[in-house]
Each structure stands twice: as C-alpha cells, then as structure tokens.
Amino acid sequence: MNRTDTTAACPCGRLDARRKPQTYERCCGRYIDHWEAQPAPDAEALMRSRYTAFTRENAAYLLATWHGSQRPQTPDFEPATKWLGLEVRAFQPAGEDTATVEFVARYRLAGRAVRLHERSRFVRENGRWYYVDGEQF
Ligand SMILES: [Zn+2]
C-alpha cells in the first residue's frame, strides 16, 4: 500500500461490522497518527497498530509503544520485507493492566515466506498500553 494513502485497507486486516476491510485512517491510523491524543484502547488494538507501523516502517510509533524495560534503540526493519498479513489468534486480558495477544504475521523476505507466531505481553501504565515482550512458537 502507498504509505500516504490513508483510505486504503488497513494492513492489519481488521474488518468492520459489515465484514468490510477497515481503512487505515479509521483503524490503526487513529492511534499511529494521533498517539498523544488517542492511544490504542486495548492490547489487541495496540498489537494491530504495531504490526501496521512495522509495515510502514514507523520507528517513532514502535518506540513510543514499546515498554521502557525492553525498548531497543531502534526497531529492526529488514529492508526487503514484504508484509503479507496478520491474523490475531487470541486476545486475553489478564486483569486490569496486563494482557496477552497471540498472533501470526506473514511476510516475505528475499523471496522466502516467513511465518512469525508469537504471544506478546502488554501492560498498561498511566492509561496507555505498551508492548513488553513476546514468546515465539
Ligand atoms: Zn489496522
């Protein structure tokens, strides 16, 4: 997708109530482009928006939503990655301020298909959700 086209289908693949793809601006773009005013309301929305930020190589958003205890200096973008899609398998709130999201992300790297299956941990601090770390399968 064109990086500036906010009316195209959101890379995270979320569907609206009528099973139509949500546009970027109505889906992850609401959080990615307005992080200060409108943080992702739950761990699944944050996870989806971080996937979308990866596809758009938005380092600022990824770092802003990475918990300080685990945050790298810079996110790792493989230059030739072609993101193919995201499937959220499970979203499990665990109390008020912690949650896990299990997902499969697919991409192509140098012609090779890669499947990333991870259960990510999230925490909420001062009303904002953060990605902590993940366990890969
Ligand atoms: Zn989205």
Side-chain angles (χ1 to χ4, degrees):
M1 122 178 189
N2 182 321
R3 282 197 194 162
T4 58
D5 185 357
T6 60
T7 59
C10 189
C12 86
R14 197 196 276 270
L15 303 176
D16 67 16
R18 296 159 66 199
R19 313 290 299 164
K20 294 260 173 47
Q22 290 267 32
T23 60
Y24 169 80
E25 65 184 359
R26 296 179 61 106
C27 187
C28 296
R30 286 185 294 170
Y31 315 127
I32 293 172
D33 297 335
H34 308 280
W35 186 79
E36 285 294 338
Q38 191 170 26
D42 59 46
E44 181 185 349
L46 182 66
M47 192 270 132
R48 287 178 173 278
S49 67
R50 285 177 50 86
Y51 169 85
T52 296
F54 261 106
T55 70
R56 297 163 71 94
E57 299 192 8
N58 184 331
Y61 184 76
L62 289 165
L63 293 174
T65 55
W66 220 307
H67 193 260
S69 64
Q70 304 286 334
R71 187 188 302 131
Q73 294 281 22
T74 53
D76 244 347
F77 296 122
E78 293 281 358
T81 304
K82 183 178 185 333
W83 293 92
L84 300 175
L86 174 71
E87 180 192 336
V88 174
R89 291 277 179 89
F91 167 38
Q92 290 166 323
E96 279 279 282
D97 295 320
T98 57
T100 59
V101 180
E102 182 181 340
F103 66 92
V104 175
R106 291 189 170 79
Y107 58 95
R108 259 181 195 289
L109 186 57
R112 198 166 61 92
V114 184
R115 182 176 179 276
L116 171 66
H117 184 185
E118 179 176 312
R119 184 185 296 128
S120 301
R121 292 197 304 133
F122 296 86
V123 296
R124 182 164 60 179
E125 288 179 4
N126 302 319
R128 289 176 186 272
W129 285 97
Y130 295 89
Y131 170 72
V132 180
D133 57 14
E135 170 195 2
Q136 292 182 12
F137 295 91

